[in-house]
């Protein structure tokens, strides 16, 4: 086998060679038609532009409300993962040390996935009902922390 015997196996497409004469199929106007904005260099339209018509996104009514910007985000920790923590107190520092939450996470919520084997004092901003039940059933306590209010901007 030599290089000239190799067969092209797909995955390649010849580039469009425009302006190389009429015989190439894209000579003269290079596939851009005659004159007009679309024939000029640097042409580009914004997405959704419909040649002067009212675009679809303006025809459709506005509906609903998105709470995305104002939502409260919690770092989720399962009850079964608390076994990885050394000691009997579970707080933000111990969760970060065990790699269960990031230090940048603001609020922590405990969910009831898994089982608790030992009595733990768990401090978090939110507990699911079943998680609180499991912690207390194992002889531990679930301490509810109050979220820190965002700092008021000075006017």
């Amino acid at each position: 086998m030599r290089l000239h015997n190799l067969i092209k196996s797909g995955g390649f497409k010849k580039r469009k060679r425009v302006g190389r004469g009429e015989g190439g199929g894209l000579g003269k106007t290079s596939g851009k038609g005659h004159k007009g904005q679309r024939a000029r260099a640097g042409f580009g339209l914004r997405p959704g532009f419909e040649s002067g018509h009212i675009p679809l996104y303006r025809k459709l009514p506005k509906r609903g409300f998105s709470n995305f910007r104002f939502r409260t985000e919690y770092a989720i920790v399962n009850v079964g993962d608390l076994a990885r923590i050394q000691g009997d107190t579970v707080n933000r520092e111990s969760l970060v040390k065990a790699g269960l939450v990031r230090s940048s996470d603001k609020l922590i919520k405990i969910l009831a996935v898994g089982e608790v084997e030992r009595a733990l004092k768990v401090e978090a901003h939110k507990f699911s009902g079943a998680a609180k039940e499991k912690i207390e059933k194992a002889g531990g306590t679930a301490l509810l922390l109050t979220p820190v209010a965002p700092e008021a901007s000075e006017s």
Side-chain angles (χ1 to χ4, degrees):
M1 172 146 311
R2 299 276 161 91
L3 278 177
H4 67 276
N5 292 339
L6 290 175
I7 298 168
K8 197 162 128 185
S9 61
F12 298 97
K13 188 176 180 182
K14 279 191 167 181
R15 74 180 177 87
K16 197 186 280 189
R17 297 185 72 233
V18 297
R20 295 295 187 272
E22 288 301 301
L26 289 168
K28 198 182 171 204
T29 54
S30 300
K32 288 180 173 275
H34 290 279
K35 298 185 181 177
Q37 184 180 14
R38 290 168 185 265
R40 310 297 184 203
F43 164 75
L45 287 179
R46 69 178 183 274
F49 183 72
E50 294 185 25
S51 306
H53 296 272
I54 295 289
L56 184 66
Y57 67 86
R58 283 183 59 194
K59 287 180 189 175
L60 299 175
K62 292 194 284 185
R63 280 185 60 91
F65 168 75
S66 172
N67 199 31
F68 187 78
R69 287 174 51 212
F70 312 105
R71 74 198 183 284
T72 305
E73 273 193 68
Y74 290 93
I76 303 296
V77 179
N78 291 316
V79 159
D81 295 333
L82 298 180
R84 298 196 329 208
I85 292 175
Q86 307 298 322
D88 58 350
T89 304
V90 177
N91 53 23
R92 175 187 299 283
E93 289 76 32
S94 62
L95 289 168
V96 170
K97 196 174 179 182
L100 293 171
V101 296
R102 294 190 192 104
S103 57
S104 62
D105 290 330
K106 290 175 177 54
L107 304 174
I108 297 165
K109 182 172 182 176
I110 309 293
L111 297 183
V113 178
E115 294 301 321
V116 184
E117 285 82 34
R118 56 197 168 101
L120 293 169
K121 181 185 174 194
V122 184
E123 300 173 4
H125 299 94
K126 215 170 198 184
F127 293 88
S128 71
K132 194 170 187 175
E133 217 171 85
K134 284 183 180 182
I135 292 166
E136 289 169 355
K137 191 176 173 185
T141 56
L143 181 69
L144 202 63
L145 299 174
T146 54
V148 179
E151 294 177 28
S153 59
E154 295 178 25
S155 299

